[in-house]
């Protein structure tokens, strides 16, 4: 409670020593690579509205149910999956994510097994968030265990920044993929689905490719501790870690700003 507070320079030095440790840059490298590959289909909402005929009320209802299932996913990990290997959790979640993406393909072809477009979309989106909830706690637990004594707050903030910057960059990449195929509102209204189908297949492949890096992730907390006890440090690893983190933040900020001040700058529809 009354422990002395380290100076800013001391905390920065401690953080630098931390990111140079293999126990930090290796698992956080996985978190970054995995999250950056979770590229969403940026045209999916337009497809739901223009082709599937969903209303904004229905979309909001899907979002609310998804948030509830996200919470249940977190609780499911806490009470049922907490002893599972982190690698198993990520592999299983990635496979399920691929399944839900396949369900989007079924929606594109109008195959809903007798359900309305709304109920099929509700189950697809909501259950995907449930899987995301299961993935959430392992990442958080890992980041907590990586924080060095005396700089817990600053270190945890940096680790969450790595996680969030990768997701923001993923969203920016999603925007940049939109002009590849013709998925304008006019095209969707005409019933032309080849563009949205190709984009769905591409984003699904990118999302599932994250599992290729799962060997970078320790299996359990004990493996993470063992990795840290090896005293393996790399100045190059720490430098790359910080450059990639801050570069991702800068790129996401630039893309987001351009989307606001100059809509359509990338060749998409205004």
């Amino acid at each position: 409670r009354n422990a002395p507070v380290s100076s800013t320079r001391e905390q920065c030095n401690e953080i630098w020593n931390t990111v140079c440790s293999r126990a930090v840059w290796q698992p956080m490298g996985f978190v970054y690579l995995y999250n950056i590959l979770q590229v969403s289909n940026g045209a999916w909402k337009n497809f739901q509205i223009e082709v599937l005929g969903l209303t904004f009320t229905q979309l909001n209802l899907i979002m609310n149910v998804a948030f509830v299932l996200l919470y249940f996913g977190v609780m499911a990990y806490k009470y049922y999956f907490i002893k599972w290997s982190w690698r198993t959790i990520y592999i299983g979640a990635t496979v399920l994510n691929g399944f839900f993406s396949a369900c989007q393909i079924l929606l594109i072809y109008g195959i809903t097994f007798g359900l309305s477009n709304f109920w099929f979309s509700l189950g697809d989106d909501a259950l995907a968030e449930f899987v995301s909830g299961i993935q959430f706690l392992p990442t958080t637990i890992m980041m907590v265990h990586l924080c060095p004594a005396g700089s817990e707050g600053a270190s945890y903030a940096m680790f969450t920044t790595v996680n969030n910057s990768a997701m923001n960059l993923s969203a920016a990449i999603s925007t940049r993929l939109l002009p590849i195929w013709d998925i304008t509102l006019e095209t969707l209204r005409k019933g032309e689905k080849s563009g949205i189908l190709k984009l769905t297949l591409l984003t699904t492949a990118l999302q599932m490719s994250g599992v290729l890096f799962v060997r970078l992730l320790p299996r359990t907390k004990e493996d993470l501790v063992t990795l840290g006890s090896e005293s393996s440090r790399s100045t190059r690893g720490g430098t790359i870690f910080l450059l990639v983190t801050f570069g991702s933040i800068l790129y996401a900020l630039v893309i987001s700003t351009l989307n606001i001040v100059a809509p359509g700058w990338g060749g998409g529809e205004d």
Side-chain angles (χ1 to χ4, degrees), residues 152-172:
E152 294 88 345
S155 298
Y156 186 77
M158 182 184 65
F159 296 147
T160 55
T161 298
V162 173
N163 183 72
N164 294 335
S165 66
M167 290 191 291
N168 289 335
L169 183 55
S170 175

Side-chain angles (χ1 to χ4, degrees), residues 168-179 251-270:
N168 289 335
L169 183 55
S170 175
I173 294 173
S174 175
T175 301
R176 299 300 298 144
L177 293 179
L178 292 178
Y251 180 82
L253 285 174
V254 170
I255 295 297
S256 299
T257 302
L258 286 173
N259 288 339
I260 295 173
V261 302
W265 67 273
E269 185 177 31
D270 292 350

Side-chain angles (χ1 to χ4, degrees), residues 114-141:
L115 298 174
S116 69
N117 289 333
F118 167 69
W119 285 109
F120 197 90
S121 297
L122 176 64
D124 183 31
D125 292 1
L127 289 176
E129 286 299 316
F130 176 79
V131 174
S132 297
I134 294 176
Q135 277 184 302
F136 173 76
L137 274 186
T139 305
T140 304
I141 292 171

Side-chain angles (χ1 to χ4, degrees), residues 6-14:
S6 302
S7 66
T8 301
R9 174 172 293 186
E10 290 174 336
Q11 291 194 44
C12 288
N13 287 335
E14 185 63 38

